[in-house]
Amino acid sequence: MSDKIRMDSHKLIYHPDRVAAWQRGELIYPIEMEIGISGACNHRCIFCAVDYMEYQPRILQADVLIRNLKILGKNGLKSIIYAGEGEPMAHPDAAEIINATKGFGIDAAMSTNGVLFTGEKAGECLKSLTWVRYSIAGATDKTYEYIHQCKKGDLQVVLKNMEDAVRVKKDQKLSTTLGAQLLLLPENKDEVVTLGKMMREIGFDYFTVKPFSQHPSSKAKLQVDYSEAEEVGKELRWLQTDDFKIYFRSQSIENLGMEKPYHDCCGLHFMAYMDSAGDVFPCIVYMGQDEYIYGNIYEEDFDSIWESERAKDIRGIFCEEFIKKNCRKNCRLDEMNKYLDEIRFPGAHVNFI
């Protein structure tokens, strides 16, 4: 699992046909999308990157989205991560949407805080999810409730729901990967190993720890020193077994101090973001900014949006000077863009393999 998940890398190497079409200058459809089906969230995490969206109680209409899922599947979209600016399970039709996604031949995954993803909900749609990643930022009620800014007792609810998801996975004989992710902060650094042990005991497939990365628009302004983080990582890695993997995101921590070593954000040809209002953006960093909206699926279907001159023009804005000035550190497209940049601007002696 540790090699195949490629947590701090990219997977374009598995899609050479799409990369080759992009190299030829063809209009390609994205391989992956992230979609926020709900703007509402039951938590107010102190690190929330999209708090500036103000947790609007809106949902993406299931019938409109499902119509577009069919279009996306026909045009080669491979996967959707249901996450976005809110909690996906706050959408009353989340299970129906997830099952429809898989029905159109698109892999579905979800990032959730886990409170609303009950055993009943898992029973309805876990079969259609390739993976589920739970965001959990503490091993004790006190720490968890402070960081998540949630109801008292939510941690215990999440732990019970995790156990139920493992049970559903076993009962239905599913291959769904269940993982937990902690965002490393001064408030939880002493609970990381404890939480890792808890995730292993519950029966999860992996536990990952990642650093905080400042979103340019976020109200949450945190200064976190990761100079001693590797010591936490060393202790945590002892928990790894053949059935339980640890991903301590050392590369992501290093990337926080990295100037972007590529010319353009070519990764935008392979990915896209849609929010709970139906607006389509290049990525989640520019969500809520009207000048970067490709289009809206309530007004026109995704194929018309993606193939529009407006979308092409917006993707063209993301050149070297723009991304160095405006984009966030440790973007999830960084490794993909390094790879694409190397293809575009190869070094010497490339035929000596």
Side-chain angles (χ1 to χ4, degrees):
M1 185 190 299
S2 58
D3 291 332
K4 293 182 179 179
I5 285 184
R6 300 174 68 86
M7 187 76 72
D8 269 330
S9 186
H10 68 89
K11 296 172 188 170
L12 284 184
I13 59 172
Y14 302 119
H15 302 277
D17 293 345
R18 198 75 60 97
V19 174
W22 164 77
Q23 283 184 281
R24 293 192 297 268
E26 298 175 16
L27 174 68
I28 62 168
Y29 271 71
I31 294 171
E32 176 185 293
M33 286 186 66
E34 180 177 345
I35 299 180
I37 54 175
S38 169
C41 189
N42 51 328
H43 286 184
R44 296 291 184 271
C45 300
I46 63 171
F47 58 79
C48 182
V50 292
D51 53 3
Y52 68 96
M53 293 299 293
E54 298 181 346
Y55 313 102
Q56 300 174 55
R58 65 188 183 192
I59 59 171
L60 197 50
Q61 291 181 18
D63 58 338
V64 177
L65 177 57
I66 289 172
R67 183 182 73 239
N68 279 275
L69 291 177
K70 185 176 182 180
I71 293 169
L72 285 161
K74 286 183 176 179
N75 282 287
L77 184 74
K78 300 294 185 183
S79 66
I80 293 175
I81 302 171
Y82 289 109
E85 74 271 33
E87 165 55 45
M89 293 310 297
H91 194 300
D93 302 316
E96 177 188 356
I97 290 169
I98 290 167
N99 289 332
T101 304
K102 189 63 176 177
F104 290 124
I106 304 168
D107 289 345
M110 179 174 66
S111 180
T112 176
N113 61 42
V115 176
L116 303 177
F117 193 47
T118 61
E120 181 181 359
K121 290 295 183 183
E124 293 176 10
C125 64
L126 196 65
K127 62 184 180 294
S128 296
L129 287 160
T130 301
W131 54 261
V132 181
R133 183 167 59 230
Y134 294 72
S135 175
I136 181 168
T140 63
D141 291 326
K142 181 179 179 180
T143 300
Y144 181 92
E145 289 166 10
Y146 172 74
I147 296 175
H148 283 259
Q149 292 292 292
C150 60
K151 292 180 181 178
K152 289 187 178 298
D154 267 5
L155 174 59
Q156 303 311 313
V157 172
V158 171
L159 295 175
K160 173 62 166 56
N161 288 345
M162 287 177 167
E163 292 172 352
D164 287 344
V166 171
R167 174 183 52 78
V168 169
K169 176 180 176 177
K170 291 179 179 178
D171 289 349
Q172 296 187 10
K173 297 179 173 58
L174 305 176
S175 59
T176 310
T177 299
L178 298 174
Q181 178 170 273
L182 174 142
L183 189 139
L184 186 59
L185 297 170
E187 292 84 356
N188 62 21
K189 65 181 178 63
D190 294 329
E191 298 184 8
V192 174
V193 176
T194 300
L195 186 60
K197 291 178 181 177
M198 292 165 63
M199 297 301 101
R200 187 174 66 179
E201 290 170 1
I202 285 173
F204 266 32
D205 297 297
Y206 73 84
F207 178 57
T208 181
V209 176
K210 76 169 190 175
F212 172 79
S213 172
Q214 183 66 56
H215 188 295
S217 300
S218 176
K219 297 177 183 178
K221 307 294 183 185
L222 304 180
Q223 296 292 328
V224 185
D225 180 8
Y226 289 115
S227 59
E228 299 179 359
E230 190 55 40
E231 293 303 311
V232 177
K234 288 179 181 178
E235 188 177 357
L236 187 64
R237 290 184 184 101
W238 284 103
L239 297 178
Q240 181 160 291
T241 68
D242 290 341
D243 299 320
F244 180 71
K245 303 303 180 185
I246 295 293
Y247 299 99
F248 189 81
R249 310 283 293 276
S250 299
Q251 183 63 53
S252 293
I253 293 174
E254 289 180 18
N255 286 351
L256 290 173
M258 177 193 77
E259 290 297 327
K260 297 191 182 297
Y262 47 84
H263 293 76
D264 308 295
C265 188
C266 296
L268 297 181
H269 296 275
F270 299 87
M271 301 181 72
Y273 178 77
M274 184 189 301
D275 70 7
S276 59
D279 288 327
V280 181
F281 293 91
C283 68
I284 195 169
V285 171
Y286 295 91
M287 177 179 59
Q289 301 183 45
D290 292 348
E291 62 266 40
Y292 300 110
I293 298 175
Y294 290 163
N296 185 285
I297 62 166
Y298 289 111
E299 298 170 2
E300 53 185 336
D301 285 338
F302 188 89
D303 50 354
S304 296
I305 293 171
W306 187 256
E307 296 178 18
S308 69
E309 289 302 317
R310 176 177 174 83
K312 294 176 187 176
D313 290 343
I314 291 173
R315 286 191 289 270
I317 292 172
F318 288 75
C319 58
E320 185 171 11
E321 183 177 347
F322 179 90
I323 59 180
K324 287 184 176 179
K325 181 179 179 181
N326 298 288
C327 292
R328 74 191 298 179
K329 296 283 188 180
N330 197 25
C331 170
R332 64 186 299 243
L333 291 177
D334 280 341
E335 297 306 312
M336 188 186 302
N337 280 324
K338 290 179 189 178
Y339 173 71
L340 295 172
D341 209 56
E342 190 171 358
I343 291 175
R344 294 172 70 204
F345 306 103
H349 315 305
V350 296
N351 292 329
F352 292 87
I353 59 175

Coordinates of all heavy atoms in Angstrom, one line a residue, residues 143-211:
T143 N -8.5 18.1 23.6 CA -7.8 18.6 22.4 C -8.6 18.6 21.2 O -8.6 19.5 20.4 CB -6.5 17.7 22.2 OG1 -5.7 17.7 23.4 CG2 -5.7 18.1 21.0
Y144 N -9.4 17.5 21.0 CA -10.2 17.4 19.8 C -11.2 18.5 19.8 O -11.4 19.2 18.7 CB -10.9 16.0 19.8 CG -11.8 15.8 18.6 CD1 -11.3 15.1 17.5 CD2 -13.1 16.1 18.6 CE1 -12.1 14.9 16.4 CE2 -14.0 15.9 17.5 CZ -13.4 15.2 16.4 OH -14.2 15.0 15.3
E145 N -11.9 18.7 20.9 CA -13.0 19.7 20.9 C -12.4 21.2 20.7 O -13.1 22.0 20.1 CB -13.8 19.6 22.2 CG -14.6 18.4 22.2 CD -15.2 18.0 23.6 OE1 -15.0 18.9 24.5 OE2 -15.7 16.9 23.8
Y146 N -11.2 21.4 21.2 CA -10.6 22.7 21.0 C -10.2 22.9 19.6 O -10.6 24.0 19.0 CB -9.3 22.9 21.9 CG -8.6 24.1 21.5 CD1 -9.1 25.4 21.9 CD2 -7.4 24.1 20.8 CE1 -8.4 26.6 21.6 CE2 -6.8 25.3 20.4 CZ -7.3 26.5 20.8 OH -6.6 27.7 20.5
I147 N -9.6 22.0 18.9 CA -9.2 22.1 17.5 C -10.3 22.1 16.6 O -10.4 22.9 15.7 CB -8.1 21.1 17.2 CG1 -6.9 21.3 18.0 CG2 -7.7 21.2 15.7 CD1 -5.8 20.2 17.8
H148 N -11.3 21.2 16.8 CA -12.4 21.0 15.9 C -13.5 22.1 16.2 O -14.4 22.3 15.3 CB -13.0 19.6 16.0 CG -12.2 18.6 15.2 ND1 -12.5 18.1 14.0 CD2 -11.0 18.0 15.6 CE1 -11.6 17.2 13.6 NE2 -10.7 17.1 14.5
Q149 N -13.5 22.7 17.3 CA -14.5 23.6 17.7 C -15.9 23.0 17.4 O -16.7 23.5 16.6 CB -14.4 24.9 17.0 CG -13.1 25.7 17.3 CD -13.2 26.3 18.8 OE1 -14.0 27.2 19.0 NE2 -12.3 25.8 19.6
C150 N -16.2 22.0 18.2 CA -17.4 21.1 17.9 C -18.2 20.9 19.2 O -17.8 21.4 20.3 CB -16.9 19.8 17.3 SG -15.8 18.9 18.4
K151 N -19.2 20.1 19.1 CA -20.0 19.7 20.2 C -19.2 18.8 21.2 O -18.3 18.0 20.7 CB -21.2 18.9 19.8 CG -22.2 19.8 19.1 CD -23.4 19.0 18.7 CE -24.5 19.8 17.9 NZ -25.6 18.9 17.5
K152 N -19.4 18.9 22.4 CA -18.8 17.9 23.4 C -19.3 16.5 23.1 O -20.4 16.3 22.7 CB -19.2 18.3 24.8 CG -18.6 19.6 25.3 CD -18.9 19.8 26.8 CE -18.2 21.0 27.3 NZ -16.8 21.0 27.2
G153 N -18.3 15.6 23.1 CA -18.6 14.2 22.8 C -18.5 13.8 21.4 O -18.6 12.6 21.1
D154 N -18.1 14.8 20.5 CA -18.0 14.4 19.1 C -16.9 13.4 18.8 O -17.1 12.6 17.9 CB -17.8 15.7 18.2 CG -19.1 16.3 17.7 OD1 -20.2 15.7 18.1 OD2 -19.1 17.2 16.9
L155 N -15.8 13.5 19.5 CA -14.7 12.5 19.3 C -15.2 11.1 19.5 O -14.9 10.2 18.7 CB -13.6 12.8 20.2 CG -12.4 11.8 20.2 CD1 -11.8 11.7 18.8 CD2 -11.3 12.2 21.2
Q156 N -16.0 10.9 20.6 CA -16.5 9.5 20.8 C -17.5 9.1 19.8 O -17.5 7.9 19.4 CB -17.2 9.5 22.2 CG -16.2 9.9 23.4 CD -14.9 9.2 23.3 OE1 -14.8 8.0 23.2 NE2 -13.8 10.0 23.5
V157 N -18.2 10.0 19.2 CA -19.1 9.7 18.1 C -18.3 9.2 16.9 O -18.7 8.2 16.3 CB -20.0 10.9 17.8 CG1 -20.8 10.6 16.5 CG2 -21.0 11.2 18.9
V158 N -17.3 10.0 16.6 CA -16.4 9.7 15.4 C -15.8 8.3 15.6 O -15.8 7.5 14.7 CB -15.4 10.8 15.2 CG1 -14.4 10.3 14.2 CG2 -16.0 12.1 14.8
L159 N -15.2 8.0 16.8 CA -14.6 6.8 17.0 C -15.5 5.6 16.9 O -15.2 4.5 16.3 CB -14.0 6.7 18.4 CG -12.8 7.7 18.7 CD1 -12.4 7.7 20.1 CD2 -11.6 7.4 17.7
K160 N -16.8 5.8 17.3 CA -17.8 4.7 17.2 C -18.1 4.6 15.7 O -18.3 3.4 15.2 CB -19.1 5.1 17.9 CG -20.3 4.2 17.7 CD -20.0 2.8 18.2 CE -21.3 2.0 18.3 NZ -22.1 2.0 17.0
N161 N -18.3 5.7 15.0 CA -18.6 5.6 13.5 C -17.4 4.9 12.8 O -17.7 4.2 11.8 CB -18.8 7.0 13.0 CG -20.2 7.5 13.4 OD1 -21.0 6.8 14.0 ND2 -20.4 8.8 13.3
M162 N -16.2 5.2 13.2 CA -15.0 4.5 12.6 C -15.1 3.0 12.7 O -14.9 2.2 11.8 CB -13.7 5.0 13.2 CG -13.3 6.4 12.8 SD -11.8 6.9 13.6 CE -11.4 8.4 12.7
E163 N -15.4 2.6 14.0 CA -15.6 1.2 14.2 C -16.7 0.5 13.4 O -16.5 -0.6 12.9 CB -15.9 0.9 15.7 CG -14.7 1.3 16.6 CD -15.1 1.3 18.1 OE1 -16.3 1.1 18.4 OE2 -14.2 1.4 19.0
D164 N -17.8 1.3 13.2 CA -18.9 0.8 12.4 C -18.5 0.7 11.0 O -18.9 -0.2 10.3 CB -20.1 1.7 12.6 CG -20.8 1.6 13.9 OD1 -20.5 0.6 14.6 OD2 -21.6 2.5 14.3
A165 N -17.7 1.6 10.5 CA -17.3 1.6 9.1 C -16.4 0.4 8.8 O -16.5 -0.3 7.8 CB -16.5 2.9 8.7
V166 N -15.5 0.0 9.8 CA -14.7 -1.1 9.7 C -15.6 -2.4 9.7 O -15.3 -3.3 8.9 CB -13.7 -1.2 10.8 CG1 -12.9 -2.6 10.9 CG2 -12.6 -0.1 10.7
R167 N -16.6 -2.4 10.5 CA -17.5 -3.5 10.5 C -18.2 -3.7 9.2 O -18.3 -4.8 8.7 CB -18.5 -3.4 11.7 CG -19.6 -4.4 11.7 CD -20.6 -4.2 12.8 NE -21.1 -2.8 12.7 CZ -22.1 -2.4 11.9 NH1 -22.6 -3.3 11.0 NH2 -22.5 -1.2 11.9
V168 N -18.7 -2.6 8.6 CA -19.4 -2.6 7.4 C -18.5 -3.2 6.3 O -18.9 -4.0 5.4 CB -20.0 -1.2 7.0 CG1 -20.5 -1.2 5.5 CG2 -21.1 -0.8 7.9
K169 N -17.2 -2.7 6.3 CA -16.3 -3.1 5.3 C -16.1 -4.6 5.4 O -16.0 -5.3 4.3 CB -14.9 -2.4 5.6 CG -13.8 -2.8 4.6 CD -12.5 -2.1 4.9 CE -11.4 -2.6 4.1 NZ -10.1 -1.9 4.3
K170 N -16.0 -5.2 6.6 CA -15.8 -6.6 6.8 C -17.0 -7.4 6.4 O -17.0 -8.4 5.7 CB -15.4 -6.9 8.2 CG -14.0 -6.4 8.6 CD -13.6 -6.7 10.0 CE -12.2 -6.3 10.4 NZ -11.9 -6.5 11.8
D171 N -18.2 -6.9 6.8 CA -19.4 -7.6 6.6 C -19.8 -7.7 5.1 O -20.3 -8.7 4.6 CB -20.6 -6.9 7.3 CG -20.5 -7.1 8.8 OD1 -19.7 -8.0 9.2 OD2 -21.3 -6.5 9.5
Q172 N -19.5 -6.6 4.4 CA -19.8 -6.5 2.9 C -18.6 -7.0 2.1 O -18.7 -6.9 0.8 CB -20.2 -5.1 2.5 CG -21.5 -4.6 3.2 CD -22.0 -3.3 2.7 OE1 -21.5 -2.7 1.7 NE2 -23.0 -2.7 3.4
K173 N -17.5 -7.4 2.7 CA -16.3 -7.8 2.0 C -15.8 -6.8 1.0 O -15.6 -7.1 -0.2 CB -16.6 -9.2 1.4 CG -16.9 -10.3 2.4 CD -17.1 -11.6 1.7 CE -17.3 -12.8 2.7 NZ -18.4 -12.6 3.6
L174 N -15.6 -5.6 1.5 CA -15.2 -4.5 0.6 C -13.7 -4.3 0.6 O -13.0 -4.7 1.6 CB -15.9 -3.2 1.1 CG -17.4 -3.2 1.2 CD1 -18.0 -1.9 1.7 CD2 -18.1 -3.6 -0.2
S175 N -13.2 -3.6 -0.4 CA -11.8 -3.3 -0.5 C -11.6 -1.8 -0.2 O -10.4 -1.3 -0.3 CB -11.3 -3.6 -1.9 OG -12.0 -2.9 -2.9
T176 N -12.6 -1.1 0.2 CA -12.5 0.4 0.5 C -11.3 0.6 1.5 O -11.3 0.0 2.6 CB -13.8 0.9 1.1 OG1 -14.9 0.5 0.3 CG2 -13.7 2.4 1.3
T177 N -10.5 1.6 1.2 CA -9.4 2.0 2.1 C -9.9 3.0 3.1 O -10.4 4.0 2.7 CB -8.2 2.6 1.3 OG1 -7.7 1.6 0.4 CG2 -7.1 3.0 2.2
L178 N -9.7 2.7 4.4 CA -10.2 3.6 5.5 C -8.9 4.2 6.1 O -8.0 3.4 6.6 CB -11.0 2.8 6.5 CG -12.3 2.2 6.0 CD1 -12.9 1.3 7.1 CD2 -13.2 3.2 5.5
G179 N -8.8 5.5 6.1 CA -7.7 6.1 6.7 C -8.1 7.3 7.6 O -9.2 7.9 7.4
A180 N -7.1 7.8 8.4 CA -7.3 8.9 9.2 C -6.2 9.9 9.0 O -5.0 9.5 8.9 CB -7.4 8.6 10.7
Q181 N -6.5 11.2 9.0 CA -5.5 12.2 8.8 C -5.5 13.2 9.9 O -6.6 13.8 10.3 CB -5.7 12.9 7.5 CG -4.7 14.0 7.2 CD -4.8 14.5 5.8 OE1 -4.2 14.0 4.9 NE2 -5.6 15.6 5.5
L182 N -4.3 13.5 10.5 CA -4.2 14.5 11.5 C -3.4 15.7 10.9 O -2.3 15.4 10.3 CB -3.5 13.9 12.8 CG -3.1 14.9 13.9 CD1 -3.4 14.3 15.2 CD2 -1.7 15.4 13.8
L183 N -3.8 16.9 11.1 CA -3.0 18.1 10.8 C -2.2 18.4 12.0 O -2.8 18.7 13.1 CB -3.9 19.2 10.3 CG -3.2 20.4 9.7 CD1 -3.9 20.9 8.5 CD2 -3.0 21.5 10.8
L184 N -0.9 18.4 11.9 CA 0.0 18.6 13.0 C 0.0 20.0 13.5 O 0.4 20.9 12.7 CB 1.4 18.1 12.6 CG 2.4 18.1 13.7 CD1 2.0 17.1 14.9 CD2 3.8 17.6 13.2
L185 N -0.3 20.2 14.8 CA -0.3 21.5 15.4 C 0.4 21.5 16.8 O 0.5 20.4 17.3 CB -1.8 22.0 15.6 CG -2.6 22.2 14.3 CD1 -4.1 22.4 14.6 CD2 -2.0 23.4 13.5
P186 N 0.8 22.6 17.3 CA 1.3 22.5 18.7 C 0.4 21.9 19.7 O 0.8 21.3 20.6 CB 1.6 24.0 19.0 CG 1.8 24.7 17.6 CD 0.8 23.9 16.7
E187 N -0.9 22.1 19.5 CA -1.9 21.6 20.5 C -2.0 20.1 20.5 O -2.5 19.6 21.5 CB -3.3 22.3 20.2 CG -3.3 23.8 20.4 CD -2.9 24.6 19.3 OE1 -2.4 24.0 18.3 OE2 -3.0 25.9 19.3
N188 N -1.7 19.5 19.4 CA -1.9 18.0 19.3 C -0.6 17.2 19.1 O -0.7 15.9 19.0 CB -2.9 17.6 18.2 CG -2.4 18.0 16.8 OD1 -1.2 18.2 16.6 ND2 -3.4 18.1 15.9
K189 N 0.5 17.8 19.1 CA 1.8 17.1 18.8 C 2.1 16.0 19.8 O 2.7 15.0 19.5 CB 3.0 18.0 18.7 CG 3.3 18.8 20.0 CD 4.5 19.7 19.8 CE 4.9 20.5 21.0 NZ 5.3 19.6 22.1
D190 N 1.6 16.1 21.1 CA 1.9 15.1 22.1 C 0.9 14.0 22.1 O 1.0 13.0 22.8 CB 1.8 15.8 23.5 CG 3.0 16.8 23.7 OD1 4.0 16.5 23.1 OD2 2.8 17.7 24.4
E191 N -0.1 14.1 21.2 CA -1.2 13.0 21.1 C -1.1 12.2 19.8 O -1.9 11.4 19.5 CB -2.6 13.7 21.2 CG -2.8 14.3 22.6 CD -4.2 14.9 22.8 OE1 -5.0 14.6 21.9 OE2 -4.4 15.6 23.8
V192 N -0.1 12.6 18.9 CA 0.0 12.0 17.6 C 0.1 10.4 17.7 O -0.6 9.7 17.0 CB 1.1 12.6 16.8 CG1 1.3 11.8 15.5 CG2 0.9 14.1 16.5
V193 N 1.1 10.0 18.5 CA 1.4 8.6 18.6 C 0.2 7.8 19.2 O -0.2 6.8 18.8 CB 2.6 8.3 19.4 CG1 2.9 6.8 19.6 CG2 3.8 8.9 18.7
T194 N -0.4 8.4 20.2 CA -1.6 7.8 20.9 C -2.7 7.7 19.9 O -3.4 6.6 19.8 CB -2.1 8.7 22.0 OG1 -1.1 8.9 23.0 CG2 -3.3 8.1 22.7
L195 N -2.9 8.7 19.0 CA -4.0 8.6 18.0 C -3.7 7.5 17.0 O -4.5 6.8 16.5 CB -4.2 10.0 17.4 CG -5.4 10.0 16.4 CD1 -6.7 9.7 17.1 CD2 -5.5 11.4 15.8
G196 N -2.4 7.5 16.6 CA -2.0 6.4 15.7 C -2.3 5.0 16.2 O -2.8 4.2 15.5
K197 N -2.0 4.8 17.5 CA -2.3 3.5 18.1 C -3.8 3.2 18.1 O -4.3 2.1 17.8 CB -1.8 3.5 19.5 CG -0.3 3.5 19.7 CD 0.1 3.5 21.1 CE 1.6 3.5 21.3 NZ 2.1 3.6 22.7
M198 N -4.6 4.3 18.3 CA -6.1 4.1 18.3 C -6.6 3.7 17.0 O -7.5 2.9 16.8 CB -6.7 5.4 18.8 CG -6.5 5.8 20.3 SD -6.9 7.5 20.7 CE -8.7 7.5 20.4
M199 N -6.0 4.3 15.9 CA -6.5 4.0 14.6 C -6.1 2.6 14.2 O -6.8 1.9 13.5 CB -5.9 5.0 13.6 CG -6.3 6.5 13.8 SD -8.1 6.7 13.6 CE -8.5 6.8 15.4
R200 N -4.9 2.1 14.6 CA -4.5 0.8 14.4 C -5.4 -0.2 15.1 O -5.8 -1.3 14.5 CB -3.1 0.6 14.8 CG -2.5 -0.8 14.4 CD -1.0 -0.9 14.7 NE -0.8 -0.9 16.2 CZ 0.4 -1.0 16.7 NH1 1.5 -1.1 15.9 NH2 0.6 -1.0 18.0
E201 N -5.8 0.1 16.3 CA -6.7 -0.8 17.1 C -8.1 -0.9 16.5 O -8.7 -1.9 16.5 CB -6.7 -0.3 18.5 CG -5.4 -0.5 19.3 CD -5.4 0.2 20.7 OE1 -6.4 0.8 21.0 OE2 -4.3 0.1 21.3
I202 N -8.5 0.2 16.0 CA -9.9 0.3 15.4 C -9.9 -0.6 14.1 O -10.9 -1.2 13.8 CB -10.3 1.7 15.0 CG1 -10.7 2.4 16.3 CG2 -11.4 1.8 14.0 CD1 -11.0 3.9 16.2
G203 N -8.8 -0.7 13.4 CA -8.7 -1.5 12.2 C -8.6 -0.8 10.9 O -8.9 -1.3 9.9
F204 N -8.1 0.5 11.0 CA -8.0 1.3 9.9 C -6.8 0.8 9.0 O -5.9 0.1 9.5 CB -7.8 2.8 10.2 CG -9.1 3.6 10.2 CD1 -10.3 2.9 10.5 CD2 -9.1 4.9 9.9 CE1 -11.5 3.6 10.5 CE2 -10.3 5.6 9.9 CZ -11.5 5.0 10.2
D205 N -6.7 1.3 7.8 CA -5.7 0.8 6.9 C -4.4 1.7 7.0 O -3.3 1.3 6.7 CB -6.2 0.9 5.4 CG -7.3 -0.1 5.2 OD1 -7.0 -1.3 5.4 OD2 -8.4 0.3 4.9
Y206 N -4.6 3.0 7.3 CA -3.5 3.9 7.5 C -3.8 5.1 8.4 O -5.0 5.4 8.7 CB -3.0 4.4 6.1 CG -3.9 5.4 5.4 CD1 -3.8 6.8 5.7 CD2 -4.8 5.0 4.5 CE1 -4.6 7.7 5.1 CE2 -5.7 6.0 3.8 CZ -5.5 7.3 4.2 OH -6.4 8.2 3.6
F207 N -2.7 5.7 8.8 CA -2.8 7.0 9.5 C -1.8 7.9 8.9 O -0.6 7.6 8.8 CB -2.5 6.7 11.0 CG -2.5 8.0 11.9 CD1 -3.6 8.8 12.0 CD2 -1.4 8.3 12.7 CE1 -3.6 9.9 12.8 CE2 -1.4 9.4 13.5 CZ -2.5 10.2 13.5
T208 N -2.2 9.1 8.6 CA -1.3 10.1 8.0 C -1.3 11.4 8.8 O -2.3 11.8 9.4 CB -1.7 10.4 6.5 OG1 -0.8 11.3 6.0 CG2 -3.1 11.0 6.4
V209 N -0.1 12.0 8.8 CA 0.1 13.3 9.5 C 0.6 14.3 8.5 O 1.6 14.0 7.8 CB 1.1 13.1 10.7 CG1 1.4 14.5 11.4 CG2 0.5 12.1 11.7
K210 N 0.0 15.4 8.4 CA 0.4 16.4 7.4 C 0.6 17.8 8.1 O 0.0 18.0 9.2 CB -0.5 16.5 6.3 CG -1.8 17.3 6.6 CD -2.6 17.5 5.3 CE -3.8 18.5 5.5 NZ -4.4 18.8 4.2
P211 N 1.3 18.7 7.5 CA 1.5 20.0 8.1 C 0.4 21.0 7.7 O -0.3 20.8 6.7 CB 2.9 20.5 7.5 CG 2.9 19.9 6.1 CD 2.2 18.5 6.3

